[in-house]
Amino acid sequence: MEVKRSTTREELREAGVPSLLIDEAMGYAALGLDRPVPTEELVAKTMARLRETLNDVPLPMREPVPMLPPLVVTGRQEPIAWAQFLGTLSASVLDEALPFATAHPDQSAIVVVDNHEVVDPEAWDVDLQLTMLRGTYRTAEETLARVQQHPICRLVVLKDTPGAYDDRDLAAIRRAIARPTIASTYLVSHRRARALQGRSYTVVGREVVFELAPKVQAGGQLVTEPSGIRDPERVSTVRDVVTALQASAVELYANGRLNERFEWALKSESNDRLRDVLTEMIG
Amino acid sequence: MMFGWFKKPKLRARVLDELLDDVAETTDREHREQLWEELCRRFIQDIERACRVASGGGSQERAQQILDQAIRTIGSDAPAFFTRELVRIMRRELGTVAVELVIRSIYVRQFVTLLPLKLTRYLEAFLDNESQFDWTAERLNEPIETVKARVGEAWRALEKVVRRTYSAAEVAERTEGYWTHEAFTGDVWK
């Protein structure tokens, strides 16, 4: 195939080609690149390859949003409700998660949707109830590790705008990244989260789901139904949506190594880099 | 066979943002593959060219891997600026020097389908063939003078349609500032 390039700068200029493209074309000529493979041939080869790997990307859920209304309208924050919640959650790790993990060794028995619009990152450091919840997650994580099952899968839904994170939030995020309670963590923007916007779930096994509600007043975090809800359809939906989002989410630790952008951010003692990275992700 | 990919005018004419939304939202596997193929058709030449510039061999395989990564970023929602995401991945995989040589071509691709399809095909073939009129004419099986005239017409029309569709700030945002309204006209190199 003839490689010689016969089109001159003048010809391109006369035809009205922008100078940016002319410079680029002259650059190819200077490099002595081979003549390009015909597009249809290149596309055919590429698609043959992509079909092998890309078909594992799950298809989006049909009409996911209407399937995820709030569990209840108002939540409860009193200590007794939280004690019940934490107790039920702990029990469900044994009653629901372990049998599920055994039956479905390829899936995480516990899926957590940690939505920053619902629970401020800083709250995990200052709210006693959330601190206790974190302890429950840690125990569950250790339990799953002990029986050699998939760890908890956590999807963090970021706030809508970078400006919504104050320095205390960023400090809490920094600590959480450096010492994660749940290592298998993915981050996704509010915009991409779609069906999970405004939702903060803990799904256990095949049919149990807990939900934290947004704060509507000063005080502790609200939990909508302390004893959880048995709702296989909702659990299945949350699992499917999280799985679909994982494909485009940022994995915090891949193969035990911290994501390079967050690693870069944490090398600085100020929060500026971390804010930059979150801004990139929020888009 | 040569013009097999001209048989899907609706898909070929689709503006990139709409195409990406469709990729994100379709629940039909076969349709999604057709959309992937269309994305591939639009960008694979520039990616492969950057791989050739970066050298190291296996340019087609490397281009396939890069496109694979870029398509995966679409997920269940289209990225705000797919082309920038693609460039980011290319820079990471190939380095900035190789990408710099093809970046204007990559960034202008997102605007080409704003044109009527009869002009789009000329500009796409022209970009695919590294701005060589004779190669473009050969691919389109048309006289070289016709190709020159249509390519010129396409660039003039593109300047107008980009101005009408996107503000100066939007063009800069979509192209990292490589393209501006003025850059589509001949004024820039005067």
Side-chain angles (χ1 to χ4, degrees), chain A residues 7-18 22, chain B residues 133 145 148-149 151-153 155-156 186 189:
Chain A
T7 304
T8 64
R9 182 181 286 273
E10 281 309 312
E11 279 181 294
L12 293 168
R13 187 175 291 188
E14 282 171 16
V17 177
I22 296 175
Chain B
F133 285 125
E145 291 310 317
K148 281 185 184 177
V151 167
E153 186 185 344
W155 282 114
R156 288 190 294 279
W189 44 262

Short mmCIF file of all heavy atoms in Angstrom, two decimals, chain A residues 7-18 22, chain B residues 133 145 148-149 151-153 155-156 186 189:
data_model
loop_
_atom_site.label_atom_id
_atom_site.label_comp_id
_atom_site.label_asym_id
_atom_site.label_seq_id
_atom_site.Cartn_x
_atom_site.Cartn_y
_atom_site.Cartn_z
N THR A 7 -0.70 15.30 -0.10
CA THR A 7 -1.44 16.54 0.19
C THR A 7 -0.52 17.56 0.87
O THR A 7 0.12 17.23 1.88
CB THR A 7 -2.65 16.24 1.08
OG1 THR A 7 -3.47 15.26 0.45
CG2 THR A 7 -3.47 17.50 1.32
N THR A 8 -0.49 18.74 0.32
CA THR A 8 0.42 19.76 0.86
C THR A 8 -0.33 20.70 1.82
O THR A 8 -1.56 20.76 1.83
CB THR A 8 1.01 20.62 -0.26
OG1 THR A 8 -0.07 21.33 -0.89
CG2 THR A 8 1.73 19.76 -1.28
N ARG A 9 0.46 21.43 2.57
CA ARG A 9 -0.10 22.42 3.48
C ARG A 9 -0.96 23.45 2.71
O ARG A 9 -2.03 23.82 3.15
CB ARG A 9 1.05 23.14 4.22
CG ARG A 9 0.61 24.17 5.23
CD ARG A 9 1.82 24.82 5.87
NE ARG A 9 2.49 23.94 6.82
CZ ARG A 9 2.16 23.82 8.11
NH1 ARG A 9 1.17 24.53 8.60
NH2 ARG A 9 2.83 23.01 8.91
N GLU A 10 -0.46 23.85 1.53
CA GLU A 10 -1.19 24.83 0.74
C GLU A 10 -2.55 24.30 0.29
O GLU A 10 -3.55 25.02 0.32
CB GLU A 10 -0.35 25.23 -0.49
CG GLU A 10 0.74 26.23 -0.18
CD GLU A 10 0.22 27.43 0.59
OE1 GLU A 10 -0.81 28.00 0.19
OE2 GLU A 10 0.83 27.79 1.62
N GLU A 11 -2.57 23.05 -0.13
CA GLU A 11 -3.84 22.45 -0.56
C GLU A 11 -4.85 22.45 0.57
O GLU A 11 -6.03 22.73 0.38
CB GLU A 11 -3.60 21.01 -1.04
CG GLU A 11 -3.08 20.88 -2.44
CD GLU A 11 -2.90 19.42 -2.80
OE1 GLU A 11 -2.04 18.76 -2.18
OE2 GLU A 11 -3.63 18.94 -3.68
N LEU A 12 -4.38 22.10 1.74
CA LEU A 12 -5.27 22.05 2.90
C LEU A 12 -5.78 23.45 3.22
O LEU A 12 -6.96 23.66 3.51
CB LEU A 12 -4.54 21.45 4.11
CG LEU A 12 -4.16 19.97 3.99
CD1 LEU A 12 -3.18 19.56 5.09
CD2 LEU A 12 -5.41 19.09 4.08
N ARG A 13 -4.88 24.40 3.15
CA ARG A 13 -5.24 25.78 3.45
C ARG A 13 -6.28 26.30 2.45
O ARG A 13 -7.27 26.90 2.83
CB ARG A 13 -3.96 26.63 3.43
CG ARG A 13 -4.18 28.05 3.88
CD ARG A 13 -2.87 28.79 3.94
NE ARG A 13 -2.01 28.29 5.01
CZ ARG A 13 -0.87 28.86 5.38
NH1 ARG A 13 -0.46 29.94 4.77
NH2 ARG A 13 -0.15 28.37 6.36
N GLU A 14 -6.05 26.01 1.19
CA GLU A 14 -6.98 26.46 0.15
C GLU A 14 -8.37 25.83 0.32
O GLU A 14 -9.37 26.45 0.01
CB GLU A 14 -6.44 26.10 -1.23
CG GLU A 14 -5.36 27.04 -1.71
CD GLU A 14 -4.68 26.54 -2.97
OE1 GLU A 14 -5.26 25.63 -3.64
OE2 GLU A 14 -3.58 27.03 -3.29
N ALA A 15 -8.39 24.61 0.81
CA ALA A 15 -9.69 23.95 0.99
C ALA A 15 -10.42 24.47 2.23
O ALA A 15 -11.59 24.14 2.44
CB ALA A 15 -9.48 22.44 1.12
N GLY A 16 -9.76 25.25 3.08
CA GLY A 16 -10.42 25.80 4.26
C GLY A 16 -10.28 24.93 5.50
O GLY A 16 -11.06 25.03 6.44
N VAL A 17 -9.31 24.05 5.48
CA VAL A 17 -9.06 23.20 6.65
C VAL A 17 -8.45 24.07 7.76
O VAL A 17 -7.52 24.83 7.49
CB VAL A 17 -8.10 22.04 6.30
CG1 VAL A 17 -7.78 21.20 7.54
CG2 VAL A 17 -8.70 21.16 5.21
N PRO A 18 -8.97 23.98 9.00
CA PRO A 18 -8.41 24.79 10.08
C PRO A 18 -6.91 24.53 10.28
O PRO A 18 -6.45 23.40 10.12
CB PRO A 18 -9.19 24.33 11.31
CG PRO A 18 -10.43 23.73 10.78
CD PRO A 18 -10.09 23.15 9.45
N ILE A 22 -4.20 21.27 10.08
CA ILE A 22 -3.09 21.24 9.11
C ILE A 22 -1.78 20.92 9.85
O ILE A 22 -1.00 20.07 9.42
CB ILE A 22 -2.97 22.60 8.38
CG1 ILE A 22 -4.23 22.86 7.56
CG2 ILE A 22 -1.73 22.62 7.48
CD1 ILE A 22 -4.28 24.22 6.88
N PHE B 133 -6.02 14.17 1.02
CA PHE B 133 -7.14 14.20 0.09
C PHE B 133 -7.17 12.96 -0.81
O PHE B 133 -8.24 12.41 -1.09
CB PHE B 133 -7.07 15.46 -0.78
CG PHE B 133 -7.48 16.71 -0.05
CD1 PHE B 133 -6.63 17.80 0.01
CD2 PHE B 133 -8.71 16.80 0.59
CE1 PHE B 133 -7.00 18.95 0.68
CE2 PHE B 133 -9.08 17.95 1.27
CZ PHE B 133 -8.23 19.03 1.32
N GLU B 145 -11.12 16.11 -6.58
CA GLU B 145 -11.61 17.49 -6.56
C GLU B 145 -12.94 17.60 -5.84
O GLU B 145 -13.21 18.58 -5.14
CB GLU B 145 -11.72 18.04 -7.99
CG GLU B 145 -10.37 18.25 -8.67
CD GLU B 145 -9.39 19.03 -7.80
OE1 GLU B 145 -9.82 20.03 -7.18
OE2 GLU B 145 -8.20 18.65 -7.72
N LYS B 148 -12.16 17.46 -2.14
CA LYS B 148 -11.62 18.74 -1.64
C LYS B 148 -12.74 19.75 -1.43
O LYS B 148 -12.80 20.44 -0.41
CB LYS B 148 -10.61 19.31 -2.65
CG LYS B 148 -9.25 18.68 -2.59
CD LYS B 148 -8.32 19.42 -3.55
CE LYS B 148 -6.96 18.75 -3.60
NZ LYS B 148 -6.06 19.38 -4.57
N ALA B 149 -13.64 19.82 -2.42
CA ALA B 149 -14.74 20.79 -2.33
C ALA B 149 -15.66 20.47 -1.15
O ALA B 149 -16.07 21.36 -0.39
CB ALA B 149 -15.53 20.78 -3.63
N VAL B 151 -14.99 18.67 1.56
CA VAL B 151 -14.30 18.83 2.84
C VAL B 151 -14.27 20.32 3.23
O VAL B 151 -14.54 20.69 4.37
CB VAL B 151 -12.87 18.24 2.79
CG1 VAL B 151 -12.04 18.69 3.99
CG2 VAL B 151 -12.94 16.72 2.75
N GLY B 152 -13.98 21.17 2.25
CA GLY B 152 -13.99 22.61 2.52
C GLY B 152 -15.36 23.08 2.94
O GLY B 152 -15.52 23.85 3.90
N GLU B 153 -16.39 22.59 2.24
CA GLU B 153 -17.77 22.96 2.57
C GLU B 153 -18.11 22.50 3.99
O GLU B 153 -18.75 23.21 4.76
CB GLU B 153 -18.70 22.28 1.55
CG GLU B 153 -20.15 22.66 1.66
CD GLU B 153 -21.02 21.84 0.69
OE1 GLU B 153 -20.47 21.24 -0.25
OE2 GLU B 153 -22.23 21.81 0.89
N TRP B 155 -16.06 22.05 6.55
CA TRP B 155 -15.41 22.86 7.58
C TRP B 155 -16.12 24.19 7.78
O TRP B 155 -16.32 24.65 8.90
CB TRP B 155 -13.92 23.10 7.25
CG TRP B 155 -13.06 21.92 7.57
CD1 TRP B 155 -12.37 21.16 6.68
CD2 TRP B 155 -12.79 21.35 8.86
NE1 TRP B 155 -11.71 20.14 7.33
CE2 TRP B 155 -11.96 20.24 8.66
CE3 TRP B 155 -13.22 21.67 10.15
CZ2 TRP B 155 -11.50 19.45 9.72
CZ3 TRP B 155 -12.78 20.87 11.21
CH2 TRP B 155 -11.93 19.79 10.97
N ARG B 156 -16.55 24.79 6.66
CA ARG B 156 -17.26 26.07 6.78
C ARG B 156 -18.59 25.87 7.51
O ARG B 156 -18.98 26.66 8.38
CB ARG B 156 -17.50 26.67 5.38
CG ARG B 156 -16.23 27.21 4.73
CD ARG B 156 -16.55 27.99 3.47
NE ARG B 156 -17.11 27.17 2.39
CZ ARG B 156 -16.36 26.42 1.56
NH1 ARG B 156 -15.05 26.38 1.68
NH2 ARG B 156 -16.94 25.71 0.62
N GLY B 186 -10.74 29.95 8.84
CA GLY B 186 -9.38 30.08 8.31
C GLY B 186 -8.60 31.21 8.96
O GLY B 186 -7.41 31.38 8.69
N TRP B 189 -4.91 30.96 11.11
CA TRP B 189 -3.54 30.82 10.59
C TRP B 189 -3.09 32.01 9.76
O TRP B 189 -2.03 32.01 9.19
CB TRP B 189 -3.40 29.52 9.80
CG TRP B 189 -4.50 29.18 8.86
CD1 TRP B 189 -5.53 28.33 9.08
CD2 TRP B 189 -4.71 29.69 7.54
NE1 TRP B 189 -6.36 28.26 8.00
CE2 TRP B 189 -5.88 29.07 7.03
CE3 TRP B 189 -4.01 30.58 6.74
CZ2 TRP B 189 -6.38 29.33 5.76
CZ3 TRP B 189 -4.51 30.85 5.47
CH2 TRP B 189 -5.68 30.23 4.99
#
